[in-house]
Amino acid sequence: MTDLRPPDIVRSAYAELIVTDLGASKHFWVDRLGFVISSEEPDAVYLRGHEEFIHHSLILRKGDVPACSRFAFRVRTPEDLDAAALFHTERGCEVRRYPAGATRAVGPTVRVQDPFGFVVEYFHEIEWIGHHHQHYDQRHGASINRLDHINLVTDDVQALYEWYMALGFGLSETIEDDDGTLYATWMFRKQTVHDIASTQGSSPQLHHLAFSVPESHHILGLADTLGACNEYHHIERGPGRHGVSNAFYLYLRDPDGHRVEVYTTDYFTGDPGHQPLRWSVNDQRRRDFWANPIVPRWYEEASRVLDIDGNVQPLRKRGSDEQRITVGADGLGVTR
Amino acid sequence: MTDLRPPDIVRSAYAELIVTDLGASKHFWVDRLGFVISSEEPDAVYLRGHEEFIHHSLILRKGDVPACSRFAFRVRTPEDLDAAALFHTERGCEVRRYPAGATRAVGPTVRVQDPFGFVVEYFHEIEWIGHHHQHYDQRHGASINRLDHINLVTDDVQALYEWYMALGFGLSETIEDDDGTLYATWMFRKQTVHDIASTQGSSPQLHHLAFSVPESHHILGLADTLGACNEYHHIERGPGRHGVSNAFYLYLRDPDGHRVEVYTTDYFTGDPGHQPLRWSVNDQRRRDFWANPIVPRWYEEASRVLDIDGNVQPLRKRGSDEQRITVGADGLGVTR
Amino acid sequence: MTDLRPPDIVRSAYAELIVTDLGASKHFWVDRLGFVISSEEPDAVYLRGHEEFIHHSLILRKGDVPACSRFAFRVRTPEDLDAAALFHTERGCEVRRYPAGATRAVGPTVRVQDPFGFVVEYFHEIEWIGHHHQHYDQRHGASINRLDHINLVTDDVQALYEWYMALGFGLSETIEDDDGTLYATWMFRKQTVHDIASTQGSSPQLHHLAFSVPESHHILGLADTLGACNEYHHIERGPGRHGVSNAFYLYLRDPDGHRVEVYTTDYFTGDPGHQPLRWSVNDQRRRDFWANPIVPRWYEEASRVLDIDGNVQPLRKRGSDEQRITVGADGLGVTR
Amino acid sequence: MTDLRPPDIVRSAYAELIVTDLGASKHFWVDRLGFVISSEEPDAVYLRGHEEFIHHSLILRKGDVPACSRFAFRVRTPEDLDAAALFHTERGCEVRRYPAGATRAVGPTVRVQDPFGFVVEYFHEIEWIGHHHQHYDQRHGASINRLDHINLVTDDVQALYEWYMALGFGLSETIEDDDGTLYATWMFRKQTVHDIASTQGSSPQLHHLAFSVPESHHILGLADTLGACNEYHHIERGPGRHGVSNAFYLYLRDPDGHRVEVYTTDYFTGDPGHQPLRWSVNDQRRRDFWANPIVPRWYEEASRVLDIDGNVQPLRKRGSDEQRITVGADGLGVTR
């Protein structure tokens, strides 16, 4: 009955964002953030960080409406593609298979639409780029190393958590209340704090993509550069230290409003029996360890998501209970 | 007529804060911020940073009402004390002379109350402590190096600016509008951006004391420690990069609400003919180079000031025009 | 035939060092480096880093002769202990089983002596300590996070490489010549550059234990503290950037001469098909990316190793070919 | 008798280096170190750091023989040029006056050859460039801020010390023995540890020029870039922490062998009565606070110096007594 096992997901590997002005997006992601261009097409740019040895971790594709069209999990073996297809078929999801090259530089893929409305692409093969991580002369911006995780907005944090547990993820941290109601979760396959996280709100939406950088000063340096260039409007929240994950962070919005986190130094979660760290929704340090206030739009705004046919999905409206509860805690205008 | 020259002020050298709970204050300034204790008395503690070779840069004195009782300028020669006395006497200020030891470890002083309501102590001699700056094993908190500057709240920024120009200060930076109205000024005697700065508001008040630390990571480390100890409520604003002065900063409030800035890397201003950098009050980067919003209380709250007889001075009420103008710029709740 | 699979090793988890003066060792490892004490016994101290959620990563045990008595691999399941026993029995190794508690806070263990002379302890269970990584107020020294890897000296780098490949390790980097002769290898189970590395020389010896710290400034801070305390003789090599692994490093020698590396920011190796990076033994940047000279004793000295009965093992003498080849490259007294 | 006062020197302001290949030099100083080009001529390039508001701090001039042709002190007033001329004339030095523009962007100058063989240019006026220090997008390499000091090699440290004391310098630190013999001195006019330092050896030579950068990670980043570009041979010594001055440093050699130090965080020396810190020549931490060994060529090699007529000056041969004494201390091949 090995067929019933979930696919052996290695990690979150890439995402595709629909952007309305490819030139403006390249300026932001490449010139400012410091991504490396792997390939360009008339309507798309394939980007990677300096410690990614594969073709891309981010595809920017020209379109009319800003959105996230899909994100991708790498699986351990080619057979895990079958496991992924079966896992989703049995759960009533739309599942489609694509041949090698349907996504540039990537082998055969299984594309599914999950019950939450997210299009997920499973793949095993991808072009190996080689070791370029020590080209320090080519690093700039925030010295982007690699895609770390993907944060999803959902109106049902509990259900999304259960879904990813069924897919074999580990749980590293939560925000919850005394009744055990989950407000947000952090879940991992690779040995870090997360590959997938969830935030409560109108669904389905992409909250942000997060990329790992070497040290905190690289994040400060990016903010300085955006200030110098009068492009500070891209900065949304931070820099700060997360309570959850313990990482040092800065949130930015790209020219289409897609949120990106640059991020450094979370911790190892690879031990068997690793226990989750559960934060109270009333702990003011959970979202910012220094209890700095969170700008409301960080809770309220996110990127729309395309369905498997490429249509913008409608939102199931829901506000953030966490945000309501914490007015008086980290809501703006109340503290500080 | 050399008597008419202003005193040759070397730099801002120390300040005295009245605190209501000396134990709580010591915990904050010594255990958390990382000051070194030079001397203790039943009702006072004398503190210094690791790169201060003299007895103290901060006196915490027990009292009933939190306030700043005075701040001090070191002058180049003993004769400059006479120049200081004459300068203020001629301008109608109350001037008092004290013998050596009236302020612990300090030689004879001239204490004046300036037209803005601030009590300023001039001194030349102070006990030399020696070179302790390389005791890295004793550094902790933010690794405080030295008092850098003192920021005053005044209802007449223009007059305070002219006063300090008459005292021989240089002007390094301003915030002003197109009509040349000054909203804030930064003025120096030592070869840095400032010894004295002014912020507009109800007068007289002390806005903050600022202490220099080695590198930005020391500031992040202090914030992390305050988070870890559940003492994050001391953090008021930042960390961030100032537009003005270019320094990396964090503002804290001590147990009595006195504001302290920890601060690193401003620039050399010692060249003859050094020109001021004039920021428009409409430049969103002037107060935070990344245009992060300023918490309103940073503009609105400050420390009361004692008069030369030790009484709390009444406030001449005035709101901050800068804050009003920039609602919509860096005011909270509007941007971000 | 699943019995023939190697044990599923999660990572290098702890090591035991024999030290001759427990007080001196505690001073070095705890007061200076910044380890946390989990437990103490009259003849032993159990230490961990701030991001280790288990009981210990280092045991310091009082003895007459400085040595490494064993190091330990954590395995994924209890059944992997059987796999470990079988793997080594079939290869003619001495294998011994111990009940829970034989190593404090650790479940049942399988202890083996491998063909190279190293005593390796396999375990699955160990006491969970919980999440203490955000106690920033308790961090000092180099802010030690976790054991990262163990570096072994062997007279047969090729054989040791093959042994670990049979145990299921991945190969991340090598130093080799044009003929494919291996001079050093870096091998991993967790998703970093290494759990085990080898250096060529007289065998068997422990070259060093390496512990991960958050950022490079923590390493500089440790060196500053050792200078301040007149304990700089513990510093052996660095700080510097490794060519191999890309990490920022500092090597120290403890009071018994055991070498320890503090280390930050290597890269993710968890992708399927991750390819090794092969450095030429003639590339002067392989050991120090800035080509700073390597002190000879870094090649020449290491810790003796106990056999499974606790006796100091004799050395099979062999100099380092790598060191000979690179006189003229990074040998001292030749360049720079 | 105010005429007998020494000139009021503000600081060390610029130096001119003769280089044999202007393109190679520009690559090193601009592309790698991160200097800004103020002006170019067919045979010269004028460079400055990001926090220098004046035209240049370094002139690279094409010539046949690598050398330092002169260095310059800025004086407080135009009248100080007369004082400089008189000071040197009275002491039997060759003194020449040049009109504005003789050095590009600089007003009238007084050029002297001092008794030690160094050509020193005094000036007051220089072109003001304005505030460009926050152009973070243009910073790269080590993010050079400003010229900090000039280190001279002399066969008579005592005499050179006395000369600069007569010129009104303060003494911040020394290396000396129990008999008071000086091996090296650090002397300042601006409120930092030094404008001029001396090292013992064959005379006259320029030991190095030192430039201040914001933080230690900028220095590590420069080393990483030089490694990445296979230009690591420019790195001579460090990175490390100085005992003397407490600064974090890296020494490099430019394409002609001119030594440059990049340097951060020394301390304030502007207080009246600032006392010197006297290091024993036997304190292994004086040159490197971590007692890392000093490469011999750092003591033995330096840049030749031109006389006031532009001829390369002969060397008065003398080895470094400090280096001899400290074989066994920080000499290579002995420790570590």
Side-chain angles (χ1 to χ4, degrees), chain A residues 111-265:
Chain A
R111 206 176 287 181
V112 305
Q113 183 166 334
D114 75 16
F116 307 90
F118 297 104
V119 177
V120 183
E121 181 159 283
Y122 288 84
F123 75 99
H124 169 67
E125 287 177 46
I126 186 169
E127 187 181 327
W128 171 262
I129 290 289
H131 304 91
H132 296 279
H133 55 293
Q134 293 181 308
H135 287 182
Y136 285 101
D137 51 318
Q138 297 171 16
R139 289 175 178 250
H140 67 277
S143 195
I144 301 292
N145 272 343
R146 57 174 177 76
L147 176 66
D148 186 80
H149 62 266
I150 296 166
N151 191 306
L152 307 175
V153 186
T154 180
D155 56 354
D156 193 338
V157 171
Q158 179 69 32
L160 190 138
Y161 157 68
E162 291 170 6
W163 176 263
Y164 276 100
M165 289 300 107
L167 268 170
F169 281 65
L171 179 68
S172 59
E173 306 205 18
T174 69
I175 293 176
E176 56 187 60
D177 61 21
D178 291 346
D179 300 328
T181 302
L182 291 174
Y183 294 82
T185 58
W186 287 259
M187 297 169 291
F188 63 93
R189 284 293 303 174
K190 70 180 181 306
Q191 297 169 335
T192 64
V193 172
H194 44 337
D195 286 283
I196 290 289
S198 65
T199 301
Q200 193 185 48
S202 296
S203 190
Q205 293 185 98
L206 172 72
H207 193 273
H208 66 265
L209 303 177
F211 294 87
S212 178
V213 306
E215 301 202 335
S216 51
H217 66 80
H218 293 100
I219 291 174
L220 303 182
L222 173 62
D224 286 338
T225 294
L226 291 171
C229 299
N230 269 308
E231 298 177 17
Y232 48 78
H233 60 282
H234 290 296
I235 299 174
E236 182 183 69
R237 175 187 159 199
R241 170 83 56 197
H242 281 309
V244 171
S245 87
N246 196 38
F248 188 77
Y249 70 86
L250 179 70
Y251 289 96
L252 305 122
R253 301 291 287 271
D254 89 346
D256 287 290
H258 298 306
R259 185 179 288 109
V260 57
E261 180 184 15
V262 290
Y263 173 102
T264 188
T265 58

Side-chain angles (χ1 to χ4, degrees), chain C residues 84-313:
Chain C
L86 186 58
F87 181 93
H88 290 85
T89 300
E90 287 188 338
R91 284 160 178 79
C93 302
E94 177 77 16
V95 174
R96 298 180 188 174
R97 284 176 171 271
Y98 294 87
T103 297
R104 183 167 180 158
V106 175
T109 57
V110 168
R111 206 176 286 179
V112 305
Q113 182 165 336
D114 76 13
F116 306 91
F118 298 103
V119 177
V120 183
E121 183 160 282
Y122 290 84
F123 75 101
H124 170 68
E125 288 176 45
I126 186 168
E127 187 182 327
W128 172 262
I129 291 289
H131 304 92
H132 297 278
H133 55 294
Q134 292 181 309
H135 287 182
Y136 285 101
D137 51 318
Q138 297 170 17
R139 288 176 177 250
H140 66 277
S143 195
I144 301 292
N145 271 342
R146 58 174 177 75
L147 176 66
D148 187 79
H149 63 266
I150 296 166
N151 190 305
L152 308 174
V153 186
T154 181
D155 56 353
D156 193 338
V157 171
Q158 178 69 32
L160 191 139
Y161 157 68
E162 291 171 5
W163 177 263
Y164 276 99
M165 290 299 108
L167 268 169
F169 280 65
L171 179 68
S172 59
E173 307 206 18
T174 70
I175 294 176
E176 55 186 62
D177 62 19
D178 292 346
D179 300 328
T181 302
L182 291 174
Y183 294 83
T185 58
W186 287 260
M187 297 168 294
F188 64 92
R189 285 293 302 174
K190 70 179 181 307
Q191 296 169 334
T192 63
V193 171
H194 44 336
D195 286 284
I196 290 290
S198 65
T199 302
Q200 193 186 48
S202 296
S203 189
Q205 294 185 99
L206 172 72
H207 193 271
H208 67 264
L209 303 176
F211 293 87
S212 179
V213 306
E215 300 203 336
S216 50
H217 65 81
H218 293 102
I219 291 175
L220 303 181
L222 172 62
D224 286 339
T225 294
L226 291 171
C229 299
N230 268 307
E231 298 177 18
Y232 48 77
H233 60 282
H234 290 296
I235 299 173
E236 182 182 70
R237 176 187 159 198
R241 170 83 56 198
H242 281 309
V244 171
S245 86
N246 196 39
F248 189 77
Y249 70 87
L250 179 70
Y251 289 97
L252 305 122
R253 301 292 287 271
D254 89 348
D256 287 290
H258 298 305
R259 185 178 289 110
V260 56
E261 180 184 17
V262 290
Y263 173 102
T264 190
T265 58
D266 66 354
Y267 56 84
F268 177 79
T269 59
D271 266 5
H274 182 85
Q275 297 297 308
L277 174 54
R278 298 178 178 278
W279 290 81
S280 165
V281 71
N282 296 307
D283 189 328
Q284 297 185 47
R285 304 176 303 172
R286 70 197 186 287
R287 291 285 187 187
D288 183 275
F289 194 60
W290 312 329
N292 270 328
I294 313 301
V295 287
R297 66 184 234 191
W298 187 90
Y299 282 115
E300 294 163 2
E301 299 178 11
S303 293
R304 299 297 287 271
V305 169
L306 301 190
D307 67 17
I308 199 165
D309 294 315
N311 302 312
V312 177
Q313 296 199 56

Side-chain angles (χ1 to χ4, degrees), chain B residues 223-243:
Chain B
D224 286 338
T225 294
L226 290 171
C229 299
N230 268 306
E231 299 177 18
Y232 48 79
H233 60 282
H234 291 296
I235 299 174
E236 182 182 70
R237 176 186 159 199
R241 169 82 57 198
H242 280 310

